[in-house]
Amino acid sequence: MPALSPTMEEGTLAKWHVKVGDAVRSGDVIAEIETDKATMEVEAVDEGVVEALLVPEGTEEVKVNTPIARLKGDGEASPPQKEVRPSPPAGEGGPEGRMRGRSDPSDTLPAEEAQKPDAGATPHPAPSGPPSPARGEGKPSSGRIFASPLARRVAATAGVDLAQVKGSGPHGRVILRDVEGLKGAPAARATAGLTPAPKAAPSGAPAAAEPGKAAATLEQMGIAPGSYDLKPLDGMKRTIARRMTESFRDVPHFPLSVDIELDALLDARAKLNGILEKDGVKVSVNDMLIKAAAVALKRSPDANASYSPEGIAYHHHADIAVAVAIEGGLITPIVRAAETKGVAQIAVEMKDLAERARARKLKPEEFQGGTFSISNLGMFGVKSFASIINQPQGAILSVGAGEKGPVVRGDQLAVATVMSVTLTCDHRVVDGAIGARWLQVFKALVEDPITMIA
């Protein structure tokens, strides 16, 4: 089972694309793996004939580095080893200390839900047995370089030549940890997301609730047996619940709220859509708020920061994570360097990201590593709310509904469309003064949209 993101601990083997007896070549797609946020294809890292499929389709909670199939090269005898059986699901004798978060929602998260990865453990657990022999240290005689998709992306961004990297994965495959320590390390970490490594679950951590235990727990709370239907938590819900709890417990949150007049922004949006209509582009209020937030972060850079025990990381770009509701939870696809993009480009990107998010087709780098989050519940008529911070980001903006109401201008009463926003801050990074200054800049940009391009 490959690690498809820096924080993946386990996944679901959704589908096999090969069967026993099939010949495969390096790079062939052999399976589909589901994490809590996306479904991704897995490529073969070696050539041979499929001798055994060790994990059946649909098996959940398969830990990273668990053998899932066995290949036999030409002329090789089958090794005298037993097939690995999938671990029994929780509640059927499975170990209580099962690790669960799959990939991270840098995700995710918006308001009330998903939070960032935990800190503490190594992102890629080492295989339990000795590593497979590295054929040419990751470079077969054909000249092809064995490397995981994530390692290739990180190496390309960081300017690392994979031909010079010694792979430590199966059969000498180059994996993320092999390229992180090289000359492009800062860029590599930025690509993978500024995300602390996940903590291993404590030895006493409970596995997924067994129906009997759940009934006993609920009965202790005064809920009568038979008065409810129990739906087990899936990977996304478990991850959201754990990270939301950790963020709310460990991060010193505080909210700052302000009312903003929207009429100028609504007029500008109408004019923009009139111009862009011929190109099939439609700009939303949220697209304009993404742009305004990004520009405000560049003009008030102290708010574009993340806390770490080693120091405060001040980000070079405003990578805006936007909460998108999907079946079973939430995810926050990221508009990278949003301060450099026009509103029309942001609109096109967000439409594509949101569609692929709902289909669970996002790549890990498309929802991990944002520097700031926006959660908008205005379309549901919610007037104001405060979100839980998406670690390790320093702040998250909660956007309420815009409604017409009375405002006072000078000594005169007038009518305007007013929207309430709340900035939830991590006090270790964004204190009251920094947060208030950012809100001042953001409000000025929204109320006079032409200044976004000044």
Side-chain angles (χ1 to χ4, degrees):
M1 172 65 77
L4 301 177
S5 76
T7 58
M8 178 175 168
E9 298 171 0
E10 60 186 28
T12 296
L13 203 159
K15 182 178 181 181
W16 281 112
H17 288 278
V18 294
K19 60 184 182 297
V20 174
D22 284 355
V24 298
R25 299 175 62 85
S26 177
D28 288 350
V29 174
I30 60 171
E32 292 180 10
I33 303 296
E34 289 181 1
T35 69
D36 58 341
K37 300 297 178 189
T39 300
M40 302 183 69
E41 295 178 339
V42 175
E43 299 177 357
V45 298
D46 209 343
E47 299 180 356
V49 176
V50 179
E51 185 181 44
L53 300 179
L54 306 176
V55 176
E57 286 186 357
T59 302
E60 299 180 354
E61 298 183 350
V62 183
K63 293 185 176 64
V64 167
N65 289 316
T66 298
I68 59 174
R70 187 166 63 240
L71 294 183
K72 180 175 67 174
D74 292 338
E76 278 186 22
S78 299
Q81 65 183 75
K82 296 181 180 178
E83 291 191 1
V84 177
R85 301 291 181 187
S87 301
E92 297 180 13
E96 289 280 44
R98 189 183 303 280
M99 292 188 297
R100 329 188 153 62
R102 297 179 174 86
S103 60
D104 183 22
S106 181
D107 62 37
T108 328
L109 288 211
E112 338 44 43
E113 322 245 342
Q115 302 309 326
K116 264 290 220 201
D118 329 359
T122 306
H124 303 283
S128 57
S132 304
R135 296 184 185 174
E137 298 176 350
K139 293 159 275 297
S141 57
S142 64
R144 179 182 175 89
I145 298 172
F146 293 156
S148 71
L150 183 60
R152 289 184 184 277
R153 288 192 294 270
V154 169
T157 302
V160 173
D161 182 3
L162 286 176
Q164 306 303 316
V165 178
K166 180 178 179 179
S168 62
H171 298 283
R173 190 186 199 199
V174 178
I175 57 178
L176 179 64
R177 62 169 172 253
D178 299 324
V179 299
E180 276 192 317
L182 302 180
K183 64 179 181 179
R189 291 191 185 98
T191 301
L194 181 58
T195 301
K199 292 182 213 172
S203 57
E210 298 177 23
K213 291 183 179 179
T217 301
L218 291 169
E219 191 171 357
Q220 289 175 359
M221 299 177 181
I223 299 175
S227 65
Y228 57 87
D229 294 320
L230 184 68
K231 182 179 180 180
L233 295 174
D234 60 15
M236 175 178 285
K237 285 293 188 184
R238 270 201 305 269
T239 300
I240 287 173
R242 185 180 69 252
R243 290 174 183 158
M244 179 177 66
T245 300
E246 289 169 353
S247 179
F248 200 75
R249 179 190 65 215
D250 298 339
V251 175
H253 290 63
F254 74 96
L256 297 171
S257 298
V258 68
D259 290 337
I260 300 176
E261 293 187 25
L262 277 184
D263 295 287
L265 183 136
L266 294 175
D267 289 343
R269 172 178 175 258
K271 291 176 183 176
L272 270 174
N273 283 334
I275 296 170
L276 297 171
E277 185 178 11
K278 64 181 184 299
D279 299 320
V281 177
K282 186 174 182 180
V283 173
S284 70
V285 169
N286 214 46
D287 297 327
M288 300 186 76
L289 296 180
I290 292 169
K291 175 67 175 181
V295 173
L297 288 170
K298 292 303 291 182
R299 295 183 185 177
S300 185
D302 287 348
N304 194 29
S306 297
Y307 173 83
S308 78
E310 292 74 32
I312 307 300
Y314 293 97
H315 304 292
H316 297 162
H317 291 289
D319 297 331
I320 307 296
V322 184
V324 173
I326 63 175
E327 185 178 355
L330 292 161
I331 191 169
T332 50
I334 298 166
V335 180
R336 301 282 178 184
E339 81 280 3
T340 67
K341 298 173 180 176
V343 176
Q345 183 180 355
I346 290 173
V348 172
E349 284 191 25
M350 271 309 306
K351 181 180 178 182
D352 172 63
L353 288 168
E355 288 176 353
R356 289 191 291 115
R358 294 185 182 103
R360 299 205 180 194
K361 295 296 183 183
L362 291 179
K363 300 173 184 176
E365 65 270 22
E366 291 177 318
F367 60 83
Q368 295 176 0
T371 69
F372 184 92
S373 289
I374 294 178
S375 180
N376 190 338
L377 294 179
M379 69 286 294
F380 298 107
V382 176
K383 293 184 178 181
S384 66
F385 64 102
S387 300
I388 296 175
I389 286 171
N390 186 7
Q391 294 188 78
Q393 297 167 16
I396 178 172
L397 184 71
S398 309
V399 179
E403 296 182 341
K404 286 190 176 295
V407 296
V408 177
R409 293 176 181 154
D411 294 328
Q412 300 297 316
L413 193 63
V415 175
T417 305
V418 178
M419 171 184 72
S420 293
V421 300
T422 300
L423 184 70
T424 304
C425 307
D426 177 349
H427 207 302
R428 301 169 301 178
V429 183
V430 180
D431 61 26
I434 293 173
R437 284 195 293 268
W438 184 88
L439 278 173
Q440 279 185 327
V441 175
F442 177 76
K443 178 176 180 176
L445 290 166
V446 175
E447 292 187 338
D448 191 2
I450 193 68
T451 58
M452 292 187 202
I453 60 175

Tab-separated table of all heavy atoms in Angstrom, residues 424-445:
chain	number	residue	atom	x	y	z
A	424	THR	N	-11.617	34.066	12.521
A	424	THR	CA	-11.168	33.289	13.676
A	424	THR	C	-9.656	33.179	13.606
A	424	THR	O	-9.108	32.741	12.595
A	424	THR	CB	-11.801	31.892	13.686
A	424	THR	OG1	-13.224	32.020	13.656
A	424	THR	CG2	-11.392	31.130	14.938
A	425	CYS	N	-8.985	33.580	14.679
A	425	CYS	CA	-7.522	33.700	14.670
A	425	CYS	C	-6.875	32.734	15.666
A	425	CYS	O	-7.439	32.445	16.721
A	425	CYS	CB	-7.102	35.124	15.042
A	425	CYS	SG	-7.887	36.422	14.069
A	426	ASP	N	-5.678	32.284	15.314
A	426	ASP	CA	-4.808	31.553	16.223
A	426	ASP	C	-3.973	32.605	16.951
A	426	ASP	O	-3.099	33.231	16.357
A	426	ASP	CB	-3.914	30.597	15.430
A	426	ASP	CG	-2.921	29.833	16.299
A	426	ASP	OD1	-2.759	30.181	17.486
A	426	ASP	OD2	-2.283	28.892	15.773
A	427	HIS	N	-4.242	32.804	18.243
A	427	HIS	CA	-3.615	33.916	18.966
A	427	HIS	C	-2.102	33.787	19.038
A	427	HIS	O	-1.395	34.770	19.283
A	427	HIS	CB	-4.208	34.025	20.376
A	427	HIS	CG	-4.136	35.413	20.946
A	427	HIS	ND1	-2.961	36.103	21.114
A	427	HIS	CD2	-5.127	36.241	21.374
A	427	HIS	CE1	-3.213	37.288	21.637
A	427	HIS	NE2	-4.519	37.402	21.808
A	428	ARG	N	-1.565	32.614	18.822
A	428	ARG	CA	-0.109	32.449	18.829
A	428	ARG	C	0.528	33.113	17.613
A	428	ARG	O	1.713	33.436	17.622
A	428	ARG	CB	0.249	30.956	18.834
A	428	ARG	CG	-0.292	30.174	20.023
A	428	ARG	CD	-0.139	28.681	19.830
A	428	ARG	NE	-0.830	28.194	18.639
A	428	ARG	CZ	-0.822	26.937	18.223
A	428	ARG	NH1	-0.145	26.017	18.920
A	428	ARG	NH2	-1.474	26.570	17.141
A	429	VAL	N	-0.272	33.313	16.560
A	429	VAL	CA	0.245	33.852	15.300
A	429	VAL	C	-0.389	35.194	14.969
A	429	VAL	O	0.283	36.180	14.688
A	429	VAL	CB	-0.032	32.865	14.135
A	429	VAL	CG1	0.570	33.376	12.842
A	429	VAL	CG2	0.492	31.482	14.463
A	430	VAL	N	-1.711	35.215	14.976
A	430	VAL	CA	-2.471	36.411	14.595
A	430	VAL	C	-3.150	36.947	15.856
A	430	VAL	O	-4.207	36.468	16.273
A	430	VAL	CB	-3.517	36.072	13.514
A	430	VAL	CG1	-4.307	37.316	13.112
A	430	VAL	CG2	-2.843	35.453	12.295
A	431	ASP	N	-2.536	37.945	16.482
A	431	ASP	CA	-3.152	38.510	17.687
A	431	ASP	C	-4.238	39.505	17.294
A	431	ASP	O	-4.517	39.723	16.104
A	431	ASP	CB	-2.097	39.132	18.600
A	431	ASP	CG	-1.331	40.265	17.946
A	431	ASP	OD1	-1.873	40.924	17.017
A	431	ASP	OD2	-0.178	40.511	18.349
A	432	GLY	N	-4.841	40.130	18.293
A	432	GLY	CA	-5.980	41.008	18.023
A	432	GLY	C	-5.660	42.147	17.079
A	432	GLY	O	-6.440	42.455	16.173
A	433	ALA	N	-4.512	42.786	17.256
A	433	ALA	CA	-4.156	43.929	16.417
A	433	ALA	C	-3.912	43.494	14.971
A	433	ALA	O	-4.348	44.160	14.024
A	433	ALA	CB	-2.918	44.630	16.982
A	434	ILE	N	-3.206	42.375	14.790
A	434	ILE	CA	-2.930	41.883	13.432
A	434	ILE	C	-4.241	41.512	12.739
A	434	ILE	O	-4.476	41.865	11.573
A	434	ILE	CB	-1.983	40.663	13.487
A	434	ILE	CG1	-0.598	41.080	13.980
A	434	ILE	CG2	-1.877	40.009	12.113
A	434	ILE	CD1	0.343	39.909	14.224
A	435	GLY	N	-5.114	40.799	13.453
A	435	GLY	CA	-6.391	40.417	12.869
A	435	GLY	C	-7.255	41.617	12.529
A	435	GLY	O	-7.896	41.656	11.469
A	436	ALA	N	-7.277	42.614	13.399
A	436	ALA	CA	-8.088	43.811	13.150
A	436	ALA	C	-7.570	44.579	11.938
A	436	ALA	O	-8.357	45.080	11.124
A	436	ALA	CB	-8.083	44.702	14.394
A	437	ARG	N	-6.237	44.685	11.808
A	437	ARG	CA	-5.675	45.381	10.637
A	437	ARG	C	-6.019	44.647	9.349
A	437	ARG	O	-6.342	45.277	8.333
A	437	ARG	CB	-4.159	45.531	10.792
A	437	ARG	CG	-3.744	46.618	11.781
A	437	ARG	CD	-2.274	46.968	11.629
A	437	ARG	NE	-1.416	45.858	12.034
A	437	ARG	CZ	-0.934	45.690	13.259
A	437	ARG	NH1	-1.256	46.568	14.220
A	437	ARG	NH2	-0.162	44.673	13.553
A	438	TRP	N	-5.954	43.301	9.395
A	438	TRP	CA	-6.304	42.554	8.181
A	438	TRP	C	-7.764	42.793	7.807
A	438	TRP	O	-8.094	42.989	6.634
A	438	TRP	CB	-6.061	41.055	8.402
A	438	TRP	CG	-6.326	40.269	7.150
A	438	TRP	CD1	-5.456	39.988	6.145
A	438	TRP	CD2	-7.588	39.701	6.745
A	438	TRP	NE1	-6.079	39.290	5.147
A	438	TRP	CE2	-7.391	39.091	5.487
A	438	TRP	CE3	-8.853	39.649	7.329
A	438	TRP	CZ2	-8.404	38.441	4.803
A	438	TRP	CZ3	-9.879	39.001	6.635
A	438	TRP	CH2	-9.647	38.407	5.386
A	439	LEU	N	-8.666	42.783	8.796
A	439	LEU	CA	-10.084	43.020	8.509
A	439	LEU	C	-10.321	44.412	7.942
A	439	LEU	O	-11.180	44.599	7.070
A	439	LEU	CB	-10.918	42.815	9.780
A	439	LEU	CG	-11.283	41.366	10.134
A	439	LEU	CD1	-11.957	41.307	11.488
A	439	LEU	CD2	-12.180	40.747	9.061
A	440	GLN	N	-9.572	45.398	8.420
A	440	GLN	CA	-9.697	46.751	7.866
A	440	GLN	C	-9.357	46.762	6.379
A	440	GLN	O	-10.069	47.359	5.564
A	440	GLN	CB	-8.759	47.716	8.608
A	440	GLN	CG	-9.298	48.228	9.923
A	440	GLN	CD	-8.362	49.271	10.536
A	440	GLN	OE1	-7.140	49.192	10.382
A	440	GLN	NE2	-8.928	50.240	11.234
A	441	VAL	N	-8.248	46.098	6.026
A	441	VAL	CA	-7.826	46.055	4.625
A	441	VAL	C	-8.847	45.285	3.795
A	441	VAL	O	-9.244	45.716	2.701
A	441	VAL	CB	-6.426	45.403	4.504
A	441	VAL	CG1	-6.034	45.250	3.036
A	441	VAL	CG2	-5.385	46.234	5.250
A	442	PHE	N	-9.301	44.139	4.303
A	442	PHE	CA	-10.266	43.319	3.576
A	442	PHE	C	-11.565	44.090	3.343
A	442	PHE	O	-12.123	44.082	2.227
A	442	PHE	CB	-10.527	42.040	4.367
A	442	PHE	CG	-11.565	41.132	3.758
A	442	PHE	CD1	-11.252	40.353	2.650
A	442	PHE	CD2	-12.840	41.037	4.306
A	442	PHE	CE1	-12.204	39.500	2.087
A	442	PHE	CE2	-13.791	40.192	3.744
A	442	PHE	CZ	-13.469	39.420	2.642
A	443	LYS	N	-12.060	44.754	4.377
A	443	LYS	CA	-13.315	45.507	4.242
A	443	LYS	C	-13.177	46.612	3.198
A	443	LYS	O	-14.076	46.796	2.356
A	443	LYS	CB	-13.702	46.109	5.595
A	443	LYS	CG	-14.966	46.963	5.551
A	443	LYS	CD	-15.371	47.457	6.935
A	443	LYS	CE	-16.632	48.313	6.827
A	443	LYS	NZ	-17.126	48.756	8.142
A	444	ALA	N	-12.064	47.321	3.204
A	444	ALA	CA	-11.856	48.397	2.227
A	444	ALA	C	-11.842	47.848	0.804
A	444	ALA	O	-12.393	48.472	-0.123
A	444	ALA	CB	-10.550	49.136	2.536
A	445	LEU	N	-11.242	46.687	0.603
A	445	LEU	CA	-11.183	46.084	-0.735
A	445	LEU	C	-12.567	45.663	-1.216
A	445	LEU	O	-12.918	45.852	-2.385
A	445	LEU	CB	-10.254	44.866	-0.718
A	445	LEU	CG	-8.762	45.150	-0.542
A	445	LEU	CD1	-8.016	43.865	-0.208
A	445	LEU	CD2	-8.189	45.789	-1.797
